[in-house]
Amino acid sequence: MLEHRLTDIEDPAIQILGQLANHVDVQVDLIKNGHIKDLVSLMRSRNHETSDGATLAMLSILRHPHVRFKAIEEGVVVTLVNRLKHRKSCLLAAYAFSRILDYDNIRTAMLDLSAHDYIISAVKQGLFNATVENEPGKEVLGRLMRNDELRAAVLEAHTTAALCTMFKKGDPALNHAAFDFLNIMSNYPDGKELIRVAKIPVFRAIVAALDHQKWDSQKNAATALHTLVGIRDSSFETEFVTQEFRSVILEEISHILKLLAHDRSFRVVGGAAALLALSDDEIIRAFVREHKDFKSARSEHFAKNKKLQYHGSDPREEDVHRMLDTLYAAMEESPNRRGVLKFPEVHPMPARSRLVTSLAILSCIFYIPCGLTAMLAGFAIDEAEK
């Protein structure tokens, strides 16, 4: 049955197996007649339906000590750890471990095989954003992190570097995964300590994403800052994550203001988007408004004294000015009067064809007459637009 998984048939069969295993004579039969070994073998199948069904069947009988001992002997933990290493099978393996983690012999074998390294790797890839067995992946991760030993091992598995890598990419799915991880960790004393240690590197990783020529990365990074100062911790210390990140943003706001004051247009947009996202927080908003670098940038903008550089796929000039106008208007408004965070549209400058660029260079080198250059450039543009 497990070789070709049909959930409507198989799931009740797994339930029946679990009920039958309550009887000692069935447990003896499973062990002595090689059924445990066969089940572990099916868990290793390259057919995911087969391996998934076998894994769930194994979960239904592992609560019995003699069965569990035999399954460990046959390599059930090794098999699950191996499946943690692969994207397609990782989440179900994590789900399985979250259900059997309280058994000392299972947990010891897990840690001996460095399962924690593969769990943080899965977090880093955003794999817990998905759903497994009708359960959100973040709940599976949360259940895993309730165990003190496993959580301590995860926290030592280059967790800060993983979070920084996630935020630096400016990817909304990875940002979402990182938020879930921070929220889960904020429920535990050692998790809170991680957040205290990681907050500055994480903030700087987000700033690195703001300093990206692609608007999507900048927008996602700015949204990440907006989310971080709005996270609500579920433990008795309310707003722990919010308070920690608000403090580091206030201390490190100069990094964002340097982008706003830059003469390269895309960096100005990144800084402006971040400040626009943070303007909903009254404490940060008041602090920024009084900062000398912000005042200087605002004065230059309205005096129209600043000349920005535009190259390649930098944002269009009109979009840069619209972003700045929106930012400075938001800084004068009451945050309570604004709705959901929304950024002005930003588009890259139209790309010039290689022929246009080459003609411009040739005209400078060989002094091609302007009329001929213009005619050839027009032809190149027409061809590029076809």
Side-chain angles (χ1 to χ4, degrees):
M1 184 183 296
L2 292 174
E3 291 180 2
H4 302 286
R5 191 174 184 211
L6 300 171
T7 54
D8 289 345
I9 300 172
E10 181 185 310
D11 290 348
I14 290 172
Q15 293 175 14
I16 292 170
L17 174 63
Q19 292 169 2
L20 289 173
N22 289 326
H23 303 283
V24 175
D25 57 335
V26 175
Q27 296 174 31
V28 171
D29 182 70
L30 288 170
I31 294 168
K32 286 191 173 182
N33 291 327
H35 299 307
I36 301 298
K37 182 178 181 179
D38 292 341
L39 207 49
V40 172
S41 179
L42 286 172
M43 288 173 64
R44 298 188 185 114
S45 172
R46 292 185 179 181
N47 182 302
H48 288 288
E49 291 183 348
T50 299
S51 62
D52 290 356
T55 298
L56 295 173
M58 182 65 79
L59 282 180
S60 73
I61 59 177
L62 279 179
R63 64 184 180 277
H64 305 292
H66 295 295
V67 171
R68 188 166 62 250
F69 180 83
K70 182 62 176 177
I72 293 172
E73 187 179 84
E74 295 295 345
V76 68
V77 179
V78 175
T79 300
L80 285 173
V81 170
N82 285 335
R83 299 193 75 76
L84 273 179
K85 301 175 186 179
H86 303 287
R87 291 183 65 93
K88 288 185 177 180
S89 57
C90 172
L91 196 51
L92 185 66
Y95 172 85
F97 275 132
S98 76
R99 295 295 180 183
I100 55 178
L101 189 57
D102 289 337
Y103 302 125
D104 292 342
N105 48 1
I106 294 280
R107 186 172 61 254
T108 299
M110 275 181 69
L111 295 173
D112 288 345
L113 293 167
S114 300
H116 45 280
D117 289 334
Y118 305 117
I119 289 171
I120 198 63
S121 177
V123 171
K124 188 177 176 180
Q125 296 175 71
L127 301 185
F128 285 99
N129 287 350
T131 299
V132 59
E133 293 301 304
N134 298 318
E135 185 175 17
K138 67 178 181 181
E139 292 186 13
V140 173
L141 181 61
R143 196 160 54 243
L144 288 169
M145 292 303 98
R146 287 176 198 158
N147 183 271
D148 293 343
E149 286 183 74
L150 180 60
R151 188 177 65 254
V154 166
L155 291 175
E156 293 176 4
H158 307 290
T159 304
T160 297
L163 287 168
C164 290
T165 299
M166 294 165 76
F167 279 117
K168 195 176 289 185
K169 291 184 178 180
D171 181 281
L174 295 182
N175 289 349
H176 178 78
F179 298 145
D180 285 343
F181 184 77
L182 289 171
N183 255 335
I184 290 167
M185 286 300 173
S186 68
N187 289 305
Y188 307 99
D190 51 359
K192 286 182 167 68
E193 185 57 31
L194 165 76
I195 293 168
R196 292 187 186 100
V197 171
K199 62 184 179 183
I200 291 178
V202 163
F203 172 79
R204 291 179 179 175
I206 296 173
V207 172
L210 291 169
D211 191 11
H212 198 291
Q213 199 173 17
K214 289 185 178 179
W215 164 239
D216 282 347
S217 295
Q218 294 177 313
K219 179 174 66 175
N220 292 328
T223 304
L225 289 175
H226 183 266
T227 303
L228 282 173
V229 296
I231 288 176
R232 293 296 177 265
D233 176 48
S234 60
S235 68
F236 66 93
E237 290 186 44
T238 59
E239 301 184 1
F240 175 81
V241 178
T242 299
Q243 291 169 5
E244 290 297 316
F245 277 94
R246 180 185 288 123
S247 69
V248 75
I249 288 169
L250 291 172
E251 291 169 11
E252 301 268 318
I253 199 73
S254 60
H255 292 280
I256 295 177
L257 289 170
K258 282 179 183 177
L259 294 176
L260 184 69
H262 208 277
D263 62 357
R264 186 69 185 270
S265 58
F266 78 86
R267 291 195 169 100
V268 172
V269 166
L275 293 173
L276 180 60
L278 293 170
S279 66
D280 281 336
D281 185 281
E282 292 187 28
I283 295 173
I284 295 174
R285 177 169 160 272
F287 183 82
V288 170
R289 285 182 63 181
E290 298 305 315
H291 199 287
K292 60 182 179 61
D293 292 342
F294 178 78
K295 289 180 177 180
S296 174
R298 182 174 55 188
S299 297
E300 283 190 330
H301 172 68
F302 287 115
K304 300 183 178 179
N305 291 332
K306 188 167 184 176
K307 301 296 181 183
L308 295 177
Q309 297 182 34
Y310 295 85
H311 303 289
S313 57
D314 281 1
R316 300 180 306 184
E317 184 175 4
E318 59 266 34
D319 293 342
V320 176
H321 288 295
R322 189 181 301 111
M323 177 68 75
L324 291 171
D325 289 340
T326 303
L327 167 65
Y328 295 127
M331 283 294 180
E332 300 303 321
E333 295 175 359
S334 168
N336 295 329
R337 295 181 62 184
R338 294 197 296 276
V340 177
L341 175 65
K342 187 176 181 181
F343 298 103
E345 289 191 12
V346 176
H347 303 280
M349 295 188 299
R352 294 194 303 179
S353 73
R354 293 180 180 179
L355 181 55
V356 172
T357 303
S358 299
L359 286 169
I361 295 171
L362 287 171
S363 68
C364 293
I365 297 174
F366 296 109
Y367 301 104
I368 297 175
C370 293
L372 179 58
T373 303
M375 181 184 73
L376 292 171
F379 172 76
I381 291 170
D382 289 340
E383 288 298 311
E385 291 178 347
K386 286 182 179 179

